[in-house]
Amino acid sequence: LKEKIREEMERYFGDDAKRIKHANRVLGYAEQIMETESGDRDIVCAAAILHDIGIREAEKKHGSSAGKYQEIEGPRIAEEILKRLNFPEVKIKPVLDIIAHHHSPRDGESQNYKVLYDSDWLVNIKDEVGLEDKEKIARVIENVFLTDTGKQLAKKLYT
Ligand SMILES: [Fe+2]
């Protein structure tokens, strides 16, 4: 099922190799984090693959790929894909909920949300912070990561 969702994502993004690569890298980190953290594999993997799926509609409708527009457009597209693939009905809502605020954590987030959030940060931290200022990157790692595994992995990779 995971592979099917990946195929759908790749078809949807088409020749946008950068976004396909991003989704696949986030999925890779999510799976790595899930080796030690708990969470629902189906939900986390689906959310990792589809978290940025709203980006094209965001650009088309709102003229911007900004996070908040992705968050508005993403769930509808993800829902259509997951329903078509017979993704377990009870797990669709949690996936859509993660996509709908994947840049804006709230208090008391689910473990599934935390794993996806950290995986996205593991990929984005280089672009968001840069790698020159080691102190800054250490500070960001301390502040943004929501799971111990994600934090350890970020330290290992970037400090
Ligand atoms: Fe992302």
Side-chain angles (χ1 to χ4, degrees):
L1 185 57
K2 183 185 85 191
E3 283 310 312
K4 284 206 173 121
I5 302 170
R6 251 161 48 85
E7 276 171 32
E8 288 293 321
M9 176 274 291
E10 295 192 1
R11 182 169 334 148
Y12 184 83
F13 280 141
D15 56 9
D16 197 341
K18 199 174 132 221
R19 275 162 197 161
I20 293 172
K21 192 170 152 216
H22 174 77
N24 284 328
R25 290 185 66 203
V26 173
L27 174 64
Y29 282 132
E31 291 185 305
Q32 202 175 331
I33 291 174
M34 296 277 283
E35 282 169 21
T36 42
E37 295 281 335
S38 60
D40 182 293
R41 286 194 75 81
D42 293 337
I43 292 172
V44 171
C45 289
I49 297 166
L50 299 173
H51 73 280
D52 282 337
I53 203 79
I55 202 159
R56 283 180 52 186
E57 282 298 303
E59 285 169 342
K60 236 197 283 177
K61 274 199 206 163
H62 309 275
S64 163
S65 60
K68 63 172 179 182
Y69 297 120
Q70 288 181 41
E71 291 179 351
I72 294 170
E73 298 299 329
R76 189 174 46 79
I77 302 159
E79 181 175 29
E80 192 274 314
I81 290 172
L82 293 172
K83 285 204 163 140
R84 186 145 40 85
L85 296 177
N86 289 321
F87 190 80
E89 185 70 37
V90 292
K91 295 185 179 182
I92 290 181
K93 229 174 122 190
V95 173
L96 303 185
D97 178 61
I98 293 171
I99 296 172
H101 70 293
H102 71 268
H103 290 141
S104 338
R106 303 183 287 234
D107 287 342
E109 284 296 352
S110 67
Q111 176 68 10
N112 298 325
Y113 181 96
K114 291 178 182 174
V115 175
L116 177 276
Y117 186 80
D118 283 5
S119 307
D120 203 18
W121 262 103
L122 279 165
V123 177
N124 289 339
I125 196 161
K126 274 182 291 195
D127 301 329
E128 299 273 339
V129 188
L131 292 178
E132 290 76 43
D133 188 342
K134 291 283 176 200
E135 260 173 49
K136 188 173 178 205
I137 207 159
R139 217 164 43 234
V140 170
I141 289 172
E142 251 347 286
N143 287 322
V144 302
F145 284 86
L146 301 175
T147 69
D148 288 337
T149 312
K151 194 176 282 187
Q152 295 316 322
L153 194 54
K155 283 184 189 161
K156 207 168 84 189
L157 291 168
Y158 301 118
T159 63

